[in-house]
């Protein structure tokens, strides 16, 4: 019988962080976390995604001091409010027939 290696959560996390070093992957990852689904929007998933992207940038030595400060401020807001402002904006845009899109800057 052939031995099959099952990926561990640590291997997955390492793979995820490695893949998020690519800006296009990072943008798509954040975009997915902003989408509404049947249960709505989950601020904890967004916080986790942003943390993963920041960690990938840190490992790539590609995180400016300004970005770090903005991340810390946003993370604090999301932790305190549960992201109600973001959730309300996403639901409002959804009701109008729009959605938020994350794209790379030129």
């Amino acid at each position: 019988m052939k031995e099959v290696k099952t990926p561990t959560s640590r291997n997955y996390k390492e793979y995820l962080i490695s893949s998020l070093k690519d800006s296009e992957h990072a943008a798509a990852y954040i975009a997915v976390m902003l989408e509404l689904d049947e249960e709505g929007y989950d601020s904890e998933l967004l916080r986790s995604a942003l943390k993963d992207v920041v960690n990938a940038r840190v490992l790539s030595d590609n995180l400016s001091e300004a970005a770090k400060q903005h991340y810390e401020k946003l993370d604090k807001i999301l932790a305190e409010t549960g992201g109600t402002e973001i959730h309300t904006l996403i639901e409002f845009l959804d009701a109008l027939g729009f959605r938020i899109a994350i794209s790379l800057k030129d």
Side-chain angles (χ1 to χ4, degrees):
M1 181 181 217
K2 187 175 181 180
E3 186 177 323
V4 177
K5 288 193 173 196
T6 306
T8 64
S9 60
R10 180 180 173 153
N11 288 344
Y12 170 74
K13 193 68 163 181
E14 288 172 3
Y15 167 78
L16 175 64
I17 297 300
S18 176
S19 72
L20 293 176
K21 290 177 183 178
D22 177 276
S23 295
E24 288 183 17
H25 285 134
Y29 185 60
I30 293 169
V32 167
M33 298 306 170
L34 285 171
E35 289 180 3
L36 290 175
D37 60 17
E38 293 79 31
E39 290 81 40
Y41 153 86
D42 187 335
S43 67
E44 286 304 311
L45 286 177
L46 177 61
R47 283 184 71 206
S48 178
L50 295 174
K51 182 178 180 179
D52 291 340
V53 170
V54 166
N55 287 339
R57 291 285 177 106
V58 167
L59 290 173
S60 297
D61 197 27
N62 188 17
L63 184 69
S64 70
E65 189 59 37
K68 181 180 177 186
Q69 290 174 357
H70 288 300
Y71 165 71
E72 290 170 354
K73 183 177 179 180
L74 179 59
D75 188 60
K76 182 179 178 185
I77 291 168
L78 290 173
E80 291 174 356
T81 69
T84 56
E85 298 86 357
I86 294 172
H87 183 244
T88 301
L89 174 62
I90 291 169
E91 286 185 330
F92 171 64
L93 292 173
D94 186 61
L96 292 175
F98 300 112
R99 66 178 172 181
I100 290 180
I102 306 296
S103 61
L104 299 177
K105 287 173 55 174
D106 293 329

